Amino acid sequence: MSNGPVTPANPASTATTIKPTDLRGILKYVPRFQGQIFVLAIDGSIVADENFGNLLVDVAVLRSLGIKVVLVHGIGHQLVDLSETRKIPISNADGTGVTDTATLDLAIRASSRVSHLILEGLTQNTLKCAITNSVRALPTGILKGVDQQFTGKVDRIDKEFITHLLNADILPIIQPIGYGPDARSLRINSDLLAAEVAESLGASKVIYLTPHPGLEINGEIKRDISVDTLRALLKEHPEQLNELSRSKAMHAIRAIETGVPRVHIVDGRTFDGLINEIFSSEGVGSLIYANDYQQIRKATKRDVRFLYNLTRNAVKREELRHRTQQAIEKNIDQFYVYEIDENIIACVTLYFYPDKPQLAEVGSLYVLPFYHNRGVGRKMVDFASMRAKEKGVTTLVALSTQSYSFFTSVLGFQETEKSVLPDARLKSYEESGRNPKVMIKTL
Ligand SMILES: CC(C)(COP(=O)(O)OP(=O)(O)OC[C@H]1O[C@@H](n2cnc3c(N)ncnc32)[C@H](O)[C@@H]1OP(=O)(O)O)[C@@H](O)C(=O)NCCC(=O)NCCS
């Protein structure tokens, strides 16, 4: 599935090229995508496919539209090939099982080969690129009593390094090999790695380029599906997905839960597949999308202590007004929280003035610094606005001492006089002595 209204090219025809009308359609999307980060996760088998050259032309098109592309590649196909030609058995091909010494050695060779093919292809398209050592990893260790040896999990992505390259118009290439605490190589599954890279960079899309036409559910390709539906399906009817689709689905869910809004699964063997998936109205693969407000829920009494600790630092810096644990507990009904992997990373309050039902106040907006600039703050206020509107509120009020410009320049609030506040609220405003700016927004 896709994002835009461009006439879809016929994916079956290798003669298909982007028509001028399509180009006009694509150009409409330039402002929307410009500066965004797309993480392309390319299966090793796609690098070996004859369409790979065309795929890199698509990558060059994305770059020319101002999209920042990061390539994460797999090596499974090449690893199996090497194992067969050299007659060296491997302990696992995709980085999810045990990696013994021989497998690690072949994986490093396969990885160098695949990265090199990508370097050649990008050079052909006159794109600057660099293979990075940006993945810090930790050994997976012992699982169910079995030592996973040289299999690793991501510890940290060197975001600064990758961002530096992107800002210099250099396309980063990330291999499915990470570097452990002692700088030794560890094999990492590339699908999982792509999700981790996307999370760390705040990417707007992960695009898995696979040798399959998309997410297959009950034998049919699903063009788009919400993450909630997919999660429920995996839990209740995992048998409806084949093994490959299941693995991609799990990584897609993980990427979305950590803040990547859209994950695409595209057949990398299809001519113009990548471009059509992103810019055509029908798309050629599968899109898994986040439900906009899925991570937001009402707070409960069990969250009180956590909310108190979450906002304590902001209170110290006078960004938020002080509330005791008791005060939070008493007003817990006003709180909404944003969760990632069952951890609360942001909160907001919505307070309905009893004496002015057409007004409501949004407050205690706080996002953990690690999650800043990923749209969480905006989403929390949008959510509160939606809830307020549902209750018949016509004007939303926000009070802020230090982040008022977030409300005015980012969220479209306007500064106003404190006299807009109902009497009881004006009284507590005066008593607090914090003198916040008062802003309003018509819903
Ligand atoms: C203010 C805050 C809620 C923003 O949350 P966030 O999740 O980082 O915001 P979003 O990702 O939705 O929006 C990011 C945009 O807001 C801008 N922004 C963030 N804080 C801003 C501020 N204080 N003033 C102006 N713009 C601000 C960013 O530059 C970014 O702009 P861009 O999209 O043009 O790049 C967060 O910084 C925070 O929790 N601050 C500490 C607590 C606080 O001050 N709360 C408000 C009191 S009511």
Side-chain angles (χ1 to χ4, degrees):
M1 202 43 208
S2 63
N3 302 289
V6 181
T7 316
N10 174 6
S13 156
T14 49
T16 310
T17 49
I18 298 165
K19 296 191 284 288
T21 45
D22 298 343
L23 195 58
R24 216 169 291 136
I26 289 177
L27 289 177
K28 270 208 304 209
Y29 283 84
V30 173
R32 178 162 147 204
F33 288 139
Q34 210 161 33
Q36 290 191 3
I37 300 175
F38 289 8
V39 174
L40 302 191
I42 309 185
D43 263 26
S45 60
I46 296 303
V47 178
D49 191 86
E50 57 179 19
N51 188 52
F52 182 59
N54 298 323
L55 188 65
L56 292 185
V57 176
D58 286 2
V59 170
V61 172
L62 296 183
R63 289 285 301 105
S64 71
L65 296 176
I67 294 165
K68 296 177 171 175
V69 176
V70 178
L71 284 188
V72 178
H73 69 75
I75 52 169
H77 174 87
Q78 288 75 7
L79 187 53
V80 171
D81 258 9
L82 268 179
S83 155
E84 283 168 3
T85 50
R86 297 195 176 193
K87 300 196 174 22
I88 301 172
I90 51 171
S91 50
N92 169 265
D94 67 2
T96 56
V98 175
T99 305
D100 60 16
T101 312
T103 307
L104 180 70
D105 180 57
L106 290 187
I108 292 170
R109 285 166 202 275
S111 188
S112 304
R113 178 79 193 124
V114 173
S115 294
H116 190 78
L117 286 171
I118 296 175
L119 284 180
E120 279 181 357
L122 292 173
T123 307
Q124 240 171 21
N125 286 285
T126 61
L127 288 177
K128 285 187 202 169
C129 56
I131 300 171
T132 71
N133 60 347
S134 53
V135 181
R136 298 277 170 266
L138 292 171
T140 304
I142 297 166
L143 296 181
K144 294 187 179 140
V146 180
D147 187 350
Q148 305 295 301
Q149 302 185 41
F150 297 105
T151 303
K153 57 184 177 194
V154 176
D155 176 32
R156 190 171 60 80
I157 303 291
D158 192 339
K159 178 181 167 184
E160 201 185 328
F161 178 24
I162 302 177
T163 308
H164 190 68
L165 293 176
L166 288 172
N167 290 342
D169 271 350
I170 298 169
L171 194 152
I173 298 171
I174 301 180
Q175 304 177 312
I177 306 275
Y179 299 91
D182 51 2
R184 274 199 314 181
S185 299
L186 293 165
R187 164 86 165 112
I188 298 175
N189 173 271
S190 63
D191 287 348
L192 189 59
L193 178 56
E196 298 262 9
V197 169
E199 176 197 348
S200 131
L201 298 177
S204 49
K205 284 182 193 297
V206 179
I207 304 172
Y208 288 110
L209 290 148
T210 71
H212 299 273
L215 202 60
E216 211 176 295
I217 296 172
N218 265 340
E220 270 183 35
I221 301 300
K222 188 85 183 152
R223 289 288 169 223
D224 55 44
I225 186 165
S226 82
V227 73
D228 283 350
T229 313
L230 185 60
R231 196 187 291 110
L233 193 73
L234 268 183
K235 197 169 166 200
E236 285 151 30
H237 301 287
E239 74 287 350
Q240 293 187 6
L241 284 93
N242 62 24
E243 204 181 315
L244 195 116
S245 288
R246 215 178 301 148
S247 145
K248 290 281 188 275
M250 272 160 19
H251 296 311
I253 291 172
R254 183 184 145 71
I256 288 172
E257 281 175 346
T258 53
V260 181
R262 283 164 177 249
V263 174
H264 299 254
I265 300 172
V266 186
D267 192 337
R269 301 164 305 175
T270 310
F271 183 77
D272 272 356
L274 177 60
I275 290 290
N276 275 311
E277 175 63 17
I278 296 171
F279 298 110
S280 80
S281 58
E282 289 168 19
V284 293
S286 299
L287 165 69
I288 300 125
Y289 57 91
N291 293 351
D292 267 359
Y293 301 121
Q294 61 165 353
Q295 290 114 326
I296 302 175
R297 66 163 172 83
K298 227 172 178 343
T300 68
K301 288 227 155 81
R302 264 184 291 156
D303 301 322
V304 170
R305 211 155 65 91
F306 198 87
L307 283 169
Y308 178 72
N309 289 330
L310 183 79
T311 52
R312 206 163 43 177
N313 283 331
V315 171
K316 273 192 206 140
R317 290 192 299 268
E318 292 186 34
E319 290 165 340
L320 293 184
R321 79 178 144 122
H322 174 69
R323 289 183 193 241
T324 60
Q325 279 203 52
Q326 290 79 355
I328 295 176
E329 182 160 359
K330 192 166 158 237
N331 298 309
I332 196 70
D333 280 349
Q334 297 170 12
F335 278 87
Y336 290 91
V337 296
Y338 191 107
E339 266 186 342
I340 289 182
D341 280 345
E342 294 176 25
N343 291 315
I344 295 174
I345 60 111
C347 64
V348 71
T349 55
L350 179 63
Y351 175 59
F352 296 94
Y353 300 129
D355 43 349
K356 266 202 182 175
Q358 73 278 23
L359 283 190
E361 181 181 326
V362 64
S364 294
L365 176 65
Y366 182 76
V367 180
L368 271 182
F370 182 77
Y371 294 93
H372 280 182
N373 293 322
R374 297 188 191 191
V376 175
R378 175 196 286 272
K379 211 178 262 187
M380 294 297 274
V381 177
D382 283 354
F383 179 83
S385 308
M386 186 190 74
R387 275 292 148 95
K389 211 172 163 183
E390 279 168 6
K391 296 262 158 108
V393 168
T394 54
T395 306
L396 199 59
V397 179
L399 274 60
S400 179
T401 51
Q402 292 177 28
S403 295
Y404 53 86
S405 57
F406 177 68
F407 286 95
T408 51
S409 56
V410 178
L411 301 177
F413 280 69
Q414 282 180 337
E415 204 179 325
T416 188
E417 298 299 324
K418 59 186 176 189
S419 56
V420 72
L421 299 172
D423 292 346
R425 183 65 180 101
L426 191 57
K427 191 160 172 272
S428 65
Y429 175 98
E430 302 286 13
E431 281 167 7
S432 78
R434 294 176 74 235
N435 204 19
K437 284 194 195 280
V438 181
M439 293 152 295
I440 51 165
K441 186 177 179 180
T442 307
L443 299 178

